[in-house]
Amino acid sequence: GLARRKVRCSQSPIYSVGIVVPAYNEAGGISDCIRSLDDAAANYPGPCWLYLIDNGSTDKTVDVAWMALSQCQALRGQVLVCPERGKAAALNFGLVQTAEDIVVRVDADTLVSPSLFLQLIPYFSDPAVGVVGGIPLPKGPSRLLCRMRAIEVYYTIGFARLAHSSVDAVLCVPGIQTAYRRQALVEAGNFSEGLNGEDTDMTVRIGRLGYHVIIDPSIHVFSEVPATWDHLREQRIRWSRSALHVFARNKSAILMCQGVRGLWTLPFSLWSAFRRPFLLLLLIYGTLAALIDPSVIGIRQGAALGALVVGPGAIITLMTVLAYRRFGLVPFIPAYLIFRIIRAYFAIDMLFTLPVKSPKQMAEDVTMLRTYPTNRRLRLTGDEALTSQMSNGKLPANGTIPVWVDDPGRS
């Protein structure tokens, strides 16, 4: 319970906590987010400071945020305006402002539990831990899509990533809510701008520095689920593209044999990005073949094909939901299997809508890469790392964070 968590936290070092919340047109829900953070701060014995970064909102996000912050009992902070658009830019803007030991990023549409900091912070008493995350559940469990999302979260995070955590191979801690050791962020550099999956990229880079990445399934936060088909499509295409972007930026982890993350989870994420479309096309092909000529695929062959496509995932999903005692989700597992087919469709959509650079743009990118000094001394710590000159844990006052990239000659 909450009392036991307070005892556990009191036995660990009390770290200061900085909360970075990027917000864009979140006037409708930002006050609820801030109130939930205030409740979490009230239960934590250390100081908590909020950095709410408005990213060019056209509604009253700033005014509503200031009003909610003024009503907080334990949480203190400030509302800042980031002139550059994009979530990664807002995160970097907020990161430069922080001076706390632990930096927690939270999406503006997210509600956190009152015990959040009591659960997160004790992990950082181990100096080897760099990132800690939990399970982001949907806010409204009564909607069908929310139930699908809940099953998906329990399977992908509560099962798969929890298993990866046991061998220090977690590829992504969702940016919905993530806690970072600030020193690890300083060493890794800024959040990557201009790509999908800045949360995954940061997780991989900190892991490549040698820090452990932890998933705790008892840590729950609650976030919005897309309300429309267009919003769902945009979200899933973005998530699918992130696998390609993150792999491209961290591919040297494979050649450098950087642990299970580099040798298994990173390559497997790329394989999964193409596996889903392939399985859907295989299913469509089998269905059309059976309709055109039933003798091509008989009942037994069709059953075998269906079992190959959905069987293993369905069994693991059922066992995972039962293990978490979410019995109310069991009747919705068949619908979740259909949802997986929809996800595969979005993966195909991603491949056909993937922007392709012209030869001129690619040449410009190569030229830009060659203008950066290559971090040769810290090769074993990742593609993008800060030099040891920043080992004092301070970010540049002007907000400019140097970034090193893969040497084009090694690619």
Side-chain angles (χ1 to χ4, degrees), residues 94-307:
L95 179 60
V96 171
Q97 318 300 319
T98 63
E100 290 75 16
D101 304 311
I102 308 300
V103 176
V104 180
R105 63 168 288 185
V106 178
D107 277 357
D109 62 355
T110 299
L111 302 179
V112 307
S113 63
S115 61
L116 177 68
F117 302 138
L118 295 176
Q119 293 176 278
L120 286 174
I121 306 306
Y123 282 105
F124 292 99
S125 60
D126 180 355
V129 173
V131 186
V132 181
I135 294 184
L137 294 170
K139 278 184 182 178
S142 59
R143 290 173 48 208
L144 178 60
L145 185 57
C146 290
R147 297 179 192 273
M148 300 300 98
R149 174 58 180 161
I151 295 174
E152 179 184 43
V153 166
Y154 281 117
Y155 175 76
T156 59
I157 301 178
F159 170 72
R161 291 183 196 168
L162 182 60
H164 293 161
S165 181
S166 66
V167 292
D168 194 27
V170 176
L171 197 67
C172 174
V173 177
I176 293 171
Q177 178 276 304
T178 312
Y180 304 96
R181 185 183 300 277
R182 186 175 180 277
Q183 178 61 31
L185 285 174
V186 170
E187 294 175 20
N190 58 346
F191 287 92
S192 301
E193 300 181 29
L195 85 162
N196 297 130
E198 86 289 333
D199 51 356
T200 305
D201 181 63
M202 181 58 75
T203 302
V204 172
R205 284 158 52 197
I206 290 179
R208 295 183 67 185
L209 285 167
Y211 288 98
H212 295 320
V213 179
I214 304 295
I215 294 290
D216 184 345
S218 69
I219 300 174
H220 294 169
V221 296
F222 303 89
S223 190
E224 293 287 352
V225 171
T228 66
W229 173 268
D230 288 341
H231 187 190
L232 178 65
R233 174 180 177 272
E234 183 273 333
Q235 179 195 69
R236 296 298 165 146
I237 289 178
R238 177 162 40 88
W239 288 2
S240 296
R241 284 178 181 168
S242 70
L244 306 183
H245 290 176
V246 173
F247 180 87
R249 292 177 66 85
N250 293 276
K251 59 185 180 297
S252 63
I254 302 172
L255 301 176
M256 298 161 71
C257 300
Q258 291 186 312
V260 181
R261 182 181 293 105
L263 294 175
W264 173 251
T265 50
L266 186 62
F268 186 77
S269 69
L270 182 66
W271 158 247
S272 296
F274 294 97
R275 175 179 58 88
R276 288 176 181 172
F278 173 76
L279 290 179
L280 178 58
L281 294 175
L282 180 64
L283 183 62
I284 294 174
Y285 170 78
T287 303
L288 292 177
L291 291 175
I292 295 173
D293 186 357
S295 64
V296 174
I297 300 179
I299 296 178
R300 291 183 179 179
Q301 292 86 349
L305 178 62

Side-chain angles (χ1 to χ4, degrees), residues 383-406:
D383 296 339
E384 297 177 314
L386 293 180
T387 62
S388 58
Q389 295 175 358
M390 301 186 68
S391 60
N392 59 0
K394 299 298 184 181
L395 291 171
N398 61 2
T400 302
I401 305 175
V403 176
W404 279 261
V405 299
D406 263 345

Side-chain angles (χ1 to χ4, degrees), residues 49-88:
W49 190 272
L50 173 66
Y51 302 89
L52 192 140
I53 313 300
D54 181 76
N55 200 211
S57 298
T58 57
D59 60 5
K60 296 184 178 180
T61 296
V62 173
D63 295 336
V64 174
W66 271 120
M67 179 63 68
L69 190 56
S70 67
Q71 297 172 353
C72 289
Q73 301 299 314
L75 185 66
R76 298 294 180 264
Q78 57 196 125
V79 179
L80 305 169
V81 177
C82 174
E84 188 176 354
R85 297 291 292 272
K87 177 178 284 189

